[in-house]
Amino acid sequence: MAKKKVQVILFSESKSANVTPILDSRMRPNEVIFVATAALDQAVSYTSTLIEASGITTKIVFISDEWNFSGHLMAINALLQDRDTVDYVLNISGGNKVLAIAAYEVFKQNNLGIFQVNQTCDAVVWLNNPNEIGEINLEDHLTIERYFQLQGVAVTNMQVTKVSYDAQRIGKRWVKRARYLTKGLALLNHLASTANNLKLCSRRLSSQEYYNAQLQELVGSLEYYQMVRLEKKRLIFSSEEARAFCNGFWLEEYVFSELDKIATESDYIQNVARGVEVVWDYGNSTVRNELDVVFLANNCLFIIECKARNFLAQRKSGINTIYKMEALLHRLGGKNTCGIIASFGSFNRHNKERARLMGLYILEAETLLDLKTHILGILRDIEQY
């Protein structure tokens, strides 16, 4: 008769390290025992709910005194019941050093499996391997919805359908002409915002705007694909989708379509979505937010904020975008989350330095044309880190 499989997990604040070894088909246990401090009560509860939905039973053991080494030895020993019929294995990725050493000592003395998750490459590193299990590169079973669930955040809506070929072509052309079209796109963005009405009709263009060469080029592209027409010095959009596209969504769709190609052509990206609407509780209120583009790679979450504007002369707007991104990362993913700002325009030197110090990546103007190279470069940077 096969032994019951139990994973004992020292709960890690990097929550994917707790979950990925459980969901992997080669390591999937019958039961999970989380060992955590009371301060992590809510985070453990979110994780336990997700795991039980997968058909695995869970148990939570709270440690009251983080520094009580002898108490930890007794507590871990007490978990190891019915050793003749149960195969215990320890995930030592979390916990403080005192708890980790105590748990390691107990499992090592009993010659039980001990491993840690190397999150840079999402692989299991065996510290004690009595069953001589081979190297395990963890399977990508985390999805965007599951990842957010671990943070106590619900996904209420997201789009995964492919962007139309016409929209991809327009986006690519505009990115190629980034430096030349900056002011024209800003004007188009503004005009589209004034057309947020039943007739989808913009305000009247001034003579200077009407004869603006950049705007004429942009409108020409849109007219070719029947997304807009110019009548009596007003832009009339063919649909709300076309208006939104010109109001800045074109960059979001371009970035999403490029990432979707990477996901299709390689195994670097496991899940990608755009227009991800999330909601979470904050005290007695509910917070809602929409994320432009989100993707998972090696069970790490990446959030991309797309900005179709020029921040070069708008230091305050640029820094606000950076601080907003930092706050989102802290709430939505913590240590295992990376923020990227994809901007059609440019950030000034001070804002770029601030973003770098915060661990954020900025991709701007022409760099977006070869987005694949830059995204893969970011993934390599994170692996090396």
Side-chain angles (χ1 to χ4, degrees), residues 40-275:
L40 294 172
D41 178 21
Q42 196 171 52
V44 179
S45 177
Y46 295 147
T47 305
S48 178
T49 300
L50 185 148
I51 296 306
E52 290 193 344
S54 301
I56 299 170
T57 59
T58 65
K59 178 181 178 181
I60 303 172
V61 175
F62 288 110
I63 300 296
S64 56
D65 184 353
E66 295 182 56
W67 305 101
N68 185 351
F69 183 73
S70 59
H72 294 338
L73 289 173
M74 293 175 61
I76 299 299
N77 256 313
L79 298 178
L80 305 181
Q81 303 293 324
D82 303 319
R83 298 180 202 176
D84 292 336
T85 58
V86 179
D87 183 14
Y88 290 96
V89 63
L90 173 68
N91 180 350
I92 205 170
S93 301
N96 68 2
K97 289 184 178 179
V98 176
L99 176 58
I101 291 171
Y104 178 90
E105 190 168 303
V106 170
F107 271 70
K108 181 69 173 177
Q109 284 178 350
N110 288 279
N111 197 28
L112 298 171
I114 307 169
F115 70 87
Q116 182 163 356
V117 177
N118 179 354
Q119 294 182 69
T120 59
C121 59
D122 212 32
V124 166
V125 177
W126 288 102
L127 307 181
N128 193 51
N129 190 5
N131 295 329
E132 297 183 351
I133 300 172
E135 180 181 350
I136 295 179
N137 290 309
L138 292 166
E139 297 164 351
D140 294 331
H141 288 299
L142 270 186
T143 61
I144 290 171
E145 296 100 317
R146 278 178 164 178
Y147 195 100
F148 280 126
Q149 187 180 343
L150 291 174
Q151 319 303 322
V153 175
V155 175
T156 57
N157 189 38
M158 67 180 191
Q159 299 181 55
V160 296
T161 54
K162 293 187 180 296
V163 174
S164 73
Y165 182 66
D166 290 351
Q168 290 183 48
R169 290 199 65 180
I170 293 174
K172 194 105 178 170
R173 176 179 172 79
W174 288 357
V175 169
K176 280 183 180 179
R177 304 269 289 157
R179 294 301 180 193
Y180 174 71
L181 293 174
T182 300
K183 291 182 179 179
L185 275 163
L187 178 56
L188 177 65
N189 189 313
H190 166 69
L191 292 170
S193 70
T194 69
N196 189 14
N197 51 59
L198 292 176
K199 293 183 179 180
L200 300 175
C201 179
S202 77
R203 66 161 175 78
R204 187 178 174 85
L205 280 68
S206 68
S207 294
Q208 184 179 3
E209 291 169 341
Y210 183 77
Y211 291 107
N212 181 289
Q214 294 179 29
L215 183 62
Q216 287 181 348
E217 178 178 329
L218 295 168
V219 171
S221 298
L222 295 165
E223 284 181 324
Y224 180 81
Y225 291 105
Q226 299 180 335
M227 296 176 70
V228 71
R229 68 182 190 274
L230 185 58
E231 286 185 7
K232 297 179 182 180
K233 291 190 175 182
R234 296 178 187 273
L235 293 181
I236 302 175
F237 297 90
S238 61
S239 65
E240 172 55 28
E241 290 73 23
R243 190 198 69 80
F245 180 83
C246 297
N247 199 197
F249 274 74
W250 70 269
L251 184 57
E252 176 184 314
E253 293 190 359
Y254 169 77
V255 170
F256 171 81
S257 62
E258 292 298 299
L259 287 168
D260 191 47
K261 289 175 188 174
I262 300 174
T264 302
E265 296 168 359
S266 68
D267 57 359
Y268 288 105
I269 294 176
Q270 63 203 71
N271 205 195
V272 59
R274 60 188 170 97

